[in-house]
Amino acid sequence: MHYLHRADVATVASVLNRDGSLTNVLAFGGHYIHCGQPMEKTGSELRRLSAPVSTDKDQEETFDVYMSTRVLHCRCGFQVELPE
């Protein structure tokens, strides 16, 4: 027995992109799609995230984390950075 029903693109995209990590970007098969076309990797960046070691106002020491990201562009100009 088969259960079939029609689904529009928006419905399929909502199912395939359930994690909801990126608004208006469809993550499918390792590709990220915006404006109906796969986004292209245009570079990589090294980002630094900093946080204070303590909430004590007298202490200025911070904890730094470095993260490599990949930069993806859509042909419409939309850009997103994702962790590598």
Side-chain angles (χ1 to χ4, degrees):
M1 186 177 289
H2 297 285
Y3 295 97
L4 303 172
H5 67 277
R6 289 192 168 296
D8 61 16
V9 172
T11 303
V12 172
S14 69
V15 170
L16 294 174
N17 201 27
R18 280 188 179 159
D19 67 353
S21 60
L22 298 171
T23 304
N24 297 323
V25 176
L26 173 64
F28 181 70
H31 298 281
Y32 293 87
I33 300 169
H34 186 264
C35 292
Q37 296 294 321
M39 298 177 74
E40 299 288 329
K41 181 178 178 180
T42 57
S44 296
E45 297 287 335
L46 185 62
R47 297 292 181 196
R48 184 180 111 199
L49 306 172
S50 297
V53 174
S54 170
T55 56
D56 184 6
K57 292 181 182 180
D58 295 332
Q59 191 172 8
E60 296 181 18
E61 191 175 5
T62 61
F63 180 71
D64 295 335
V65 173
Y66 292 88
M67 179 175 60
S68 179
T69 63
R70 59 186 158 146
V71 181
L72 302 176
H73 276 92
C74 180
R75 66 181 179 180
C76 74
F78 177 78
Q79 173 182 317
V80 65
E81 281 187 57
L82 301 169
E84 288 271 22

